[in-house]
Amino acid sequence: MAYPSGRHFLQIPGPTNVPDRVLRGIDRLTIDHRGPEFASLGKEVLAGLRKVFRTSQPVVIFPASGTGAWEASLVNTLSPGDRVLMFETGHFAALWQEIARRHDLRPDFVPSDWRHGADPAAVEQKLRADPNHEIRAVCVVHNETSTGVTSRIPEIRAAIDRAKHPAPFLVDTISSLASIDYRHDEWKVDVTVAGSQKGLMLPPGLSFNALSAKALAASAQAKLRRSYWDWQPMLQANEGGFFPYTPATNLLYGLREALRMLEEEGLPNVFRRHARHGEATRRAVRAWGLEVNCADEREHSNSLTGIRMPDGHDADRLRAIILERFDMSLGQGLGKLKGRLFRIGHLGSFNDLTLCGVLAGVEMGLRLAGVPHRPGGVAAALDYLSLPDAAT
Ligand SMILES: Cc1ncc(COP(=O)(O)O)c(C=O)c1O
């Protein structure tokens, strides 16, 4: 597109569109991160985050992308040689597993077809087969951003409990927090990993660990080397609203605004909005005669949809045409799904009419790229979105 006008449609599943209110929140003078004004900012965002994680326990903030928070979750709770149970739900689960390997952990990486979530029955079976409790952590990606599949965390929690296994439960919510229902305390998660650039509607650059008493006890024993990621100095400084090193002050201003927006809308409404957009998108895909990647009705992601390409058609070519003609970025297929799948992000700062524009761009792109499909996906979404509220 030689002269794009209007707003770019950033419909990858994160980073998401940053609302003007958050951009204006960030656009302030950077202040002394050891001064009194900072302390009140620090305290406000740390308290506000707890509500989003649904926890009364500490949440720590790293000036880092989500990968840093992944690493922090492992190095604070584990020791070299520890066995960890991980599930190959897709590309991001594979990357987390890679971090574990690089830290000399021994992942038991349960394979999958990248169309299903982590299987609660497999969790139970693996843990029952470990009577000496050598497995020191169970790690699950809640919403696998590479596939559009949401694992059933409460059922996995119940499976861990049925097996009476004490391993800490580590969950990656990088593309689900503040988009899909998630409850750190109620689901007895020990470390929740999250990032700023998706449901929290911020630019990339912050990531989070929500902790539990069990996670803190594990950190007192854990022997993996850690410095930057160490929870202890962070927790001590956070008591006064401060950080042990220079924080990303202006992103914290943005976080304060994003937390206020989520509070105003109300988390249940935020989840309902995402569920509605997930459903409308899936209806469009089915009307086109294309296939949603997620193979289990119970595991559809409400923050993104992975769409499989008909054989012989390249998803990256379709994405390139849509970018060139309509100035819209869609998510690519990652890892072994490269070229075979594209992803629509429908999370964060997003509404019905944005979704209509997104789906119209995809439908026109399918036509231009010569991808076999039926017309009518947009119409199917409009039908759904214009139902009376109670019916959606
Ligand atoms: C589920 C999930 N986990 C981890 C990551 C890695 O986060 P980052 O790219 O911010 O380091 C991502 C990134 O998209 C993700 O979607």
Side-chain angles (χ1 to χ4, degrees):
M1 179 161 287
Y3 302 104
S5 64
R7 270 210 167 193
H8 175 67
F9 268 54
L10 181 66
Q11 297 315 139
I12 58 175
T16 59
N17 294 289
V18 180
D20 290 347
R21 254 179 85 174
V22 171
L23 288 173
R24 280 190 224 114
I26 291 170
D27 182 10
R28 293 168 65 105
L29 295 178
T30 302
I31 53 170
D32 172 9
H33 60 284
R34 303 192 200 283
E37 199 187 331
F38 186 90
S40 66
L41 170 67
K43 284 183 183 161
E44 182 177 342
V45 293
L46 288 165
L49 276 173
R50 286 196 193 115
K51 291 192 197 158
V52 178
F53 283 91
R54 308 281 298 274
T55 184
S56 57
Q57 306 179 80
V59 178
V60 298
I61 307 174
F62 295 109
S65 85
T67 301
W70 258 345
E71 181 159 334
S73 70
L74 300 175
V75 297
N76 279 284
T77 53
L78 295 160
S79 299
D82 278 353
R83 284 180 62 195
V84 289
L85 181 58
M86 302 181 115
F87 293 84
E88 192 206 346
T89 46
H91 181 70
F92 290 104
L95 291 179
W96 199 8
Q97 179 251 185
E98 189 54 40
I99 297 175
R101 281 192 198 288
R102 288 187 195 163
H103 282 286
D104 296 328
L105 299 170
R106 289 185 297 144
D108 182 348
F109 197 41
V110 180
S112 113
D113 61 358
W114 290 34
R115 301 192 71 176
H116 291 85
D119 177 9
V123 173
E124 183 171 351
Q125 182 248 318
K126 287 277 179 188
L127 294 180
R128 282 191 192 280
D130 176 40
N132 298 330
H133 299 161
E134 285 173 15
I135 294 173
R136 293 307 170 98
V138 177
C139 304
V140 175
V141 175
H142 182 207
N143 187 67
E144 179 50 80
T145 324
S146 64
T147 63
V149 177
T150 307
S151 285
R152 289 164 281 149
I153 300 300
E155 290 180 44
I156 295 172
R157 174 73 255 174
I160 300 171
D161 289 348
R162 274 196 305 279
K164 298 194 171 48
H165 200 290
F169 188 23
L170 278 48
V171 179
D172 169 344
T173 63
I174 287 181
S175 60
S176 56
L177 191 82
S179 306
I180 299 171
D181 189 15
Y182 183 78
R183 308 168 192 200
H184 177 85
D185 284 1
E186 188 180 324
W187 298 346
K188 293 185 281 171
V189 178
D190 296 297
V191 187
T192 298
V193 174
S196 55
Q197 73 271 30
K198 311 218 183 208
L200 287 175
M201 308 177 287
L202 292 161
L206 294 180
S207 58
F208 312 94
N209 280 174
L211 313 180
S212 75
K214 190 194 270 186
L216 287 167
S219 78
Q221 307 298 324
K223 302 251 168 348
L224 278 178
R225 295 224 175 162
R226 53 190 187 267
S227 169
Y228 187 79
W229 307 117
D230 196 345
W231 292 337
Q232 285 311 327
M234 186 66 98
L235 291 169
Q236 277 162 24
N238 283 178
E239 275 175 30
F242 296 109
F243 285 73
Y245 37 69
T246 313
T249 308
N250 288 59
L251 285 177
L252 297 178
Y253 282 136
L255 176 59
R256 176 166 70 182
E257 199 58 40
L259 291 170
R260 286 176 184 166
M261 289 174 72
L262 290 168
E263 176 93 14
E264 285 165 22
E265 185 174 356
L267 276 184
N269 294 327
V270 171
F271 301 147
R272 260 195 296 278
R273 170 164 60 81
H274 283 81
R276 194 172 134 72
H277 293 148
E279 177 61 26
T281 305
R282 293 188 289 274
R283 287 184 185 217
V285 174
R286 292 187 196 113
W288 287 323
L290 298 178
E291 205 183 346
V292 172
N293 183 58
C294 175
D296 187 327
E297 278 298 320
R298 296 167 300 177
E299 296 180 333
H300 282 307
S301 169
N302 287 329
S303 55
L304 76 137
T305 301
I307 301 158
R308 297 176 76 85
M309 291 297 281
D311 284 345
H313 293 269
D314 180 6
D316 291 341
R317 181 170 167 268
L318 170 69
R319 289 175 44 255
I321 288 171
I322 291 172
L323 178 61
E324 171 63 24
R325 280 293 293 264
F326 306 117
D327 197 24
M328 174 161 70
S329 297
L330 296 169
Q332 60 184 336
L334 295 169
K336 66 184 184 189
L337 292 174
K338 177 146 183 56
R340 295 171 52 199
L341 176 119
F342 67 98
R343 297 170 296 145
I344 300 177
H346 33 76
L347 75 164
S349 176
F350 195 72
N351 63 28
D352 286 10
L353 294 186
T354 322
L355 179 61
C356 295
V358 171
L359 296 174
V362 173
E363 190 161 321
M364 290 187 286
L366 291 168
R367 205 180 292 179
L368 284 166
V371 177
H373 70 287
R374 294 191 298 264
V378 173
L382 298 189
D383 284 347
Y384 177 72
L385 291 172
S386 53
L387 287 173
D389 259 3
T392 60

